[in-house]
Amino acid sequence: MESFFHMKERGSSTGQELRAGLTTFLAMAYIIAVNPSLLAAAGIPIEAAVTATCIGAGIMTILMGVCSNRPLACASGMGINAVVAFTLTPIAGGDWHAAMAVVFLEGIIILICVLCGLREAIMDAIPASLRHAIAAGLGLFIALIGLINGGIIVNDDSTLITMVSLGSMDNPGYIVALVAIFSTFVLYCLRVPGEILIGIVIAVIVGVPLGVTSAPAGIVSGLDFSTFGAPFLLDADGVMGIAKVVASPVLLMFVFSLMMSDFFDTMGTAFAVAKQGNFLNEDGTIEDIRQILIVDSTAAAVGGLVGASSITTFVESASGAADGGRTGLTSIATGVLFLVAAFFAPLVAIVSTAATAGALVLVGFLMMDQVQEIDWSSRLEGLPAFMTVAGIPFTYSISSGIGLGFITYVVVALCTGKAKDVKPLMWVAAVAFAISFFI
């Protein structure tokens, strides 16, 4: 095992990797309940959606661990699953098979881009300042997710922007989230190993008397594979979902749109986890990025194929990396837990999103040290970096924040007479983002 994972070389151990895998799983476990609830709006049976979510995440996370040997986990991405349920399915006349076919096709196209070296080349074309900004922006985004999940930041229609008001102690989840955050902070300050996982466990226990940690609705759940092969299944009229997409210009346009989102969401997530997992080089490049991108691109296509929406590298993977995960064994442990969860989904559901707030907020803090690597006195570095750092959490979208940073970079380069310093692929990416925003 050591010869394959190189745990000692990376300052880790089997126990540390397994613990980090559990931490990542608990931080991601909400997707087992959330993804099926969203896909149900598209007409997908809950049982089938749970099976697709768990099996898809489990297989692709294990594959990520084996192929890249990095602590990255995959699951159905938030955002695209909502697009599948509330946009693509209605456009396809209520046919969720066609919606999954869109996801399948965009995954295939991204995989081709990776195999041709295009996706990796675009990442290499990104200036170091923007790479650091993406990691910092992801830190704020992760922390924001944790605060929202815990009810500490809530929606307030009286303010200019939603989700900018402080929550209330009347909400038990708010109390659990505070316990999760500050217990994790205390453990971190005391340098207690496994502080993130311990913080989650403490919050789950505190949530029992408060009613936040509920008793499981059951123990064992059955499997339903009826969504597998979704793009090639027939609708009521006997038409394959993928055939419907190919014949629809509107659905084909969404293939491009989702491709842009998946393309750069993964890039941002990889930077975030690489920082925590110590495989981000000094120049901002990521070790083993090609293997990571190949698995991630394959995962997107597999998500559409099994009917789980696009499966992508999860930013919550950073919680396991921050908890000591350094190798693919962390991912394998997380993946196995997802496969087990397919049979025991009711038990996994007792870990509330509030209980994981501490993990996400601490990870956000740890990632903010990237801002010191940016030369804020430079207009060409500072302005695009700011738009990226602010854009990711404020738009609640990794790809949108990255797009704002890219577009700002080329505009500032033009204004400061440094256009010749911008690599050609940065121009291509900025134009692609501009088109995507317009669409």
Side-chain angles (χ1 to χ4, degrees), residues 69 105 131 140 169 203 289 357:
N69 196 24
L105 286 174
R131 294 174 186 171
L140 290 176
M169 292 289 285
I289 187 60

Side-chain angles (χ1 to χ4, degrees), residues 418-436:
K418 297 181 179 179
K420 63 181 180 180
D421 296 334
V422 181
K423 294 183 179 180
L425 283 177
M426 272 296 291
W427 288 102
V428 173
V431 171
F433 267 118
I435 295 172
S436 177

Side-chain angles (χ1 to χ4, degrees), residues 43-62:
I44 299 176
I46 287 288
E47 295 79 6
V50 170
T51 298
T53 299
C54 291
I55 299 298
I59 291 174
M60 295 316 303
T61 298
I62 291 172

Side-chain angles (χ1 to χ4, degrees), residues 7-77:
M7 288 177 286
K8 291 182 180 178
E9 178 185 323
R10 298 181 185 179
S12 185
S13 64
T14 301
Q16 182 172 310
E17 294 296 308
L18 296 179
R19 185 192 69 214
L22 176 58
T23 297
T24 297
F25 173 74
L26 291 177
M28 295 173 61
Y30 68 87
I31 200 66
I32 298 173
V34 174
N35 195 52
S37 67
L38 284 172
L39 296 182
I44 299 176
I46 287 288
E47 295 79 6
V50 170
T51 298
T53 299
C54 291
I55 299 298
I59 291 174
M60 295 316 303
T61 298
I62 291 172
L63 189 61
M64 179 68 82
V66 171
C67 294
S68 73
N69 196 24
R70 295 297 179 182
L72 294 151
C74 303
S76 301

Side-chain angles (χ1 to χ4, degrees), residues 114-134:
V114 173
L115 295 176
C116 293
L118 178 60
R119 197 177 186 186
E120 190 175 354
I122 290 177
M123 293 186 72
D124 290 339
I126 301 171
S129 59
L130 278 181
R131 294 174 186 171
H132 294 305
I134 290 169

Side-chain angles (χ1 to χ4, degrees), residues 90-321:
I91 289 175
D95 182 13
W96 57 267
H97 305 93
M100 291 300 174
V102 170
V103 174
F104 175 73
L105 286 174
E106 64 95 3
I108 294 297
I109 294 172
I110 293 179
L111 178 58
I112 293 172
C113 289
V114 173
L115 295 176
C116 293
L118 178 60
R119 197 177 186 186
E120 190 175 354
I122 290 177
M123 293 186 72
D124 290 339
I126 301 171
S129 59
L130 278 181
R131 294 174 186 171
H132 294 305
I134 290 169
L138 259 294
L140 290 176
F141 184 63
I142 292 171
L144 179 61
I145 291 174
L147 294 172
I148 292 171
N149 286 348
I152 295 175
I153 291 180
V154 296
N155 177 60
D156 185 349
D157 292 333
S158 67
T159 58
L160 179 63
I161 309 172
T162 58
M163 295 186 299
V164 293
S165 291
L166 191 65
S168 171
M169 292 289 285
D170 294 336
N171 176 12
Y174 180 100
I175 299 174
V176 171
L178 287 179
V179 170
I181 292 170
F182 285 102
S183 62
T184 304
F185 282 2
V186 169
L187 293 167
Y188 172 75
C189 292
L190 295 176
R191 302 179 185 276
V192 176
E195 70 276 15
I196 293 178
L197 178 57
I198 296 172
I200 292 174
V201 173
I202 291 173
V204 168
I205 295 172
V206 170
V208 173
L210 294 174
V212 176
T213 303
S214 57
I219 298 178
V220 179
S221 56
L223 301 183
D224 182 346
F225 296 98
S226 60
T227 61
F228 282 51
F232 305 99
L233 297 178
L234 305 179
D235 65 6
D237 299 322
V239 180
M240 281 188 183
I242 197 164
K244 189 175 291 187
V245 173
V246 173
S248 170
V250 175
L251 291 176
L252 285 175
M253 189 63 69
F254 269 99
V255 172
F256 169 75
S257 181
L258 293 187
M259 184 181 72
M260 287 292 294
S261 179
D262 256 354
F263 198 104
F264 289 99
D265 273 6
T266 298
M267 184 182 68
T269 298
F271 279 124
V273 182
K275 171 60 181 175
Q276 294 304 311
N278 291 338
F279 56 103
L280 185 69
N281 297 318
E282 290 185 4
D283 62 355
T285 57
I286 301 170
E287 296 178 26
D288 304 312
I289 187 60
R290 184 172 177 79
Q291 297 94 308
I292 293 170
L293 293 178
I294 288 175
V295 176
D296 179 82
S297 302
T298 303
V302 169
L305 186 63
V306 302
S309 183
S310 180
I311 295 176
T312 186
T313 307
F314 247 52
V315 72
E316 283 86 350
S317 302
S319 61

